[in-house]
Amino acid sequence: MEVAQTQKQDVKSQKTFTALSDGSKGDSKWDKTIGVKAYSTVYFNNEYDPRGQKHWDMVKVTGGWTITDNRYTLSDMKVVYGQNGWTYWGGNVSGQTQTKYPKGKTYSYTVPAKWKPVVGSGSFSIGGSGVGTNSNVKIHKSGSKPCSHPFTNNLGS
């Protein structure tokens, strides 16, 4: 198992540094007034353990918020991304998440190379994997109370 783990780490390092990805999943969501659209793309690699089981391995996440009404402003931007679940290279993993606070309306974050890939199950129940990103922003419109606009973009959902 040590040999497989070493080979896996070498493959991941090469893909991270060359910024290649096997796939991506983009999504977006309008707020209820259709004045602000949140959007994101999750880039990932498909990695296979020696048994042939597919694992997802995020490379980076990008996204942001588009304002279509100039009476709107944004604050308190927050992005959380992660990949947690079962992996051939270490059993059940958790804590592979990062929280960022973008200063502007767009963001791009590279996933740490040390993160272990997790089984690409498409399930978010017990025993499944969670791979993707969540964002939230506070929307201010003149004359109205601020409101939050949460958005989730996960692989398998």
Side-chain angles (χ1 to χ4, degrees):
M1 189 148 154
E2 283 300 314
V3 174
Q5 189 172 16
T6 302
Q7 290 172 344
K8 174 67 190 138
Q9 289 170 346
D10 290 344
V11 169
K12 180 162 184 176
S13 295
Q14 291 169 2
K15 290 185 179 181
T16 301
F17 288 117
T18 58
L20 296 175
S21 68
D22 293 335
S24 63
K25 180 179 181 275
D27 201 359
S28 62
K29 177 185 170 188
W30 288 97
D31 76 314
K32 62 184 177 183
T33 67
I34 312 178
V36 176
K37 180 171 73 170
Y39 61 92
S40 69
T41 303
V42 177
Y43 296 89
F44 63 95
N45 289 321
N46 292 315
E47 305 291 348
Y48 295 86
D49 67 28
R51 302 166 304 155
Q53 177 74 46
K54 182 169 74 171
H55 288 58
W56 286 324
D57 195 11
M58 281 197 304
V59 175
K60 75 176 183 177
V61 296
T62 62
W65 300 270
T66 302
I67 301 174
T68 60
D69 185 328
N70 63 7
R71 296 173 295 166
Y72 287 52
T73 58
L74 306 177
S75 69
D76 302 335
M77 285 80 90
K78 180 180 177 180
V79 177
V80 180
Y81 55 94
Q83 63 184 36
N84 295 289
W86 193 89
T87 180
Y88 174 83
W89 298 278
N92 195 39
V93 294
S94 62
Q96 293 189 149
T97 60
Q98 288 198 335
T99 302
K100 302 288 187 178
Y101 299 92
K103 300 291 183 208
K105 292 185 282 187
T106 62
Y107 58 86
S108 178
Y109 301 115
T110 301
V111 174
K114 67 182 180 179
W115 282 8
K116 295 178 181 176
V118 296
V119 171
S121 66
S123 169
F124 295 92
S125 61
I126 294 173
S129 299
V131 179
T133 183
N134 301 314
S135 68
N136 197 13
V137 66
K138 191 176 283 185
I139 301 171
H140 304 267
K141 181 179 176 183
S142 55
S144 300
K145 287 176 57 175
C147 63
S148 291
H149 182 41
F151 169 60
T152 298
N153 181 10
N154 286 329
L155 301 183
S157 63

